[in-house]
Amino acid sequence: MDRYAEQPCSLSRRGAIAGLGVISLLLAGCGSKGGGSASKSPSAQAASSSRRATTGGGGSTVDLVVMIIRHAEKPVGNETGKDDTGRRDRHSLTERGWARANALPRLFDPRPAPGLVRPIKVYAASDRGQDAGGHRMRQTVTPLAKRLGLAVDLDYAESKEADLAAAVSASPGPVLICWEHSRIPAIVEALAPQSGAPATWPERFDLIWVLTRTAGTWSFNTVDEHLLDADA
């Protein structure tokens, strides 16, 4: 009787050992499969993140990002502007305009705001020569360019929007343009006529138009600056 009483216990131990063997095999098989985040090495995860950052929503590589802003606030009515040295000048920015210009770098440094990218080139309309407009475009982006270690490109005067668009289209990286608001649509028409951008710039100083070229196709978006009190 004692001998037969021990037999079930012996079978139970053999079953447990066999079960452990099956579980070990299953675990080994799971460990050999890829695709799980836990199985990725840190370098593989970094490479994956990099690929996501350089592709558009459909997985296509972004060719170019062009950001366009209107110059900051200008004199209205009895207001007066101030030039770079603080002297009265109706072709320059107002105090609020200078405050916006000095706050603009916060949108790009140390980290770009959502919807924006750090530009490698900054353009403003020429304020010298026979075709020169006001100084407001250059003044608006000068603090930003200094923060980013860039020179403001002043090679293109107002009315030369098509030439500017051609130069921007060939840029190897993100571009920021500061222009007179009534002429900004001419830049867009020459650069990205099918982007869906509005035909006119709204009466706002706190707005950024963002044009993105992905696999040769342009898209349009806007970003609110939120830099000063009373900004939209």
Side-chain angles (χ1 to χ4, degrees):
M1 291 295 293
D2 292 339
R3 181 168 57 86
Y4 289 108
E6 293 177 357
Q7 187 173 3
C9 183
S10 178
L11 289 172
S12 177
R13 284 197 297 271
R14 287 198 296 271
I17 293 170
L20 288 173
V22 171
I23 292 172
S24 299
L25 289 173
L26 289 173
L27 289 175
C30 290
S32 64
K33 292 180 180 179
S37 59
S39 65
K40 288 184 178 181
S41 67
S43 60
Q45 291 176 353
S48 178
S49 298
S50 177
R51 285 193 294 272
R52 288 195 300 270
T54 57
T55 57
S60 300
T61 301
V62 172
D63 303 325
L64 180 62
V65 177
V66 180
M67 297 159 289
I68 307 178
I69 61 174
R70 176 186 186 177
H71 61 71
E73 284 83 345
K74 64 180 180 179
V76 177
N78 295 326
E79 280 187 291
T80 183
K82 295 182 179 180
D83 67 10
D84 305 61
T85 64
R87 292 180 298 185
R88 293 165 60 94
D89 177 22
R90 64 186 181 89
H91 298 292
S92 293
L93 299 175
T94 61
E95 287 189 11
R96 183 174 175 84
W98 278 109
R100 185 175 303 283
N102 289 322
L104 192 63
R106 296 205 308 261
L107 292 177
F108 299 93
D109 184 79
R111 182 179 303 171
L116 302 177
V117 291
R118 188 184 180 102
I120 66 167
K121 187 81 171 179
V122 177
Y123 289 92
S126 175
D127 60 348
R128 297 180 179 84
Q130 61 180 6
D131 296 324
H135 306 301
R136 291 184 284 270
M137 287 76 79
R138 172 183 57 78
Q139 291 168 344
T140 299
V141 293
T142 293
L144 170 63
K146 286 182 177 180
R147 176 77 67 88
L148 300 181
L150 302 173
V152 180
D153 191 314
L154 301 169
D155 288 345
Y156 301 93
E158 293 178 46
S159 78
K160 302 297 182 182
E161 286 79 20
D163 294 337
L164 171 63
V168 168
S169 182
S171 175
V175 169
L176 177 73
I177 302 171
C178 184
W179 219 252
E180 202 281 325
H181 76 285
S182 67
R183 294 181 178 272
I184 289 176
I187 299 174
V188 177
E189 178 63 26
L191 180 67
Q194 305 300 322
S195 64
T200 58
W201 185 277
E203 286 299 319
R204 291 178 58 183
F205 295 95
D206 60 343
L207 186 66
I208 301 176
W209 282 8
V210 182
L211 300 165
T212 304
R213 188 175 66 197
T214 306
T217 300
W218 287 97
S219 60
F220 171 77
N221 201 1
T222 61
V223 173
D224 296 323
E225 292 183 358
H226 298 301
L227 290 173
L228 304 180
D229 292 342
D231 275 3

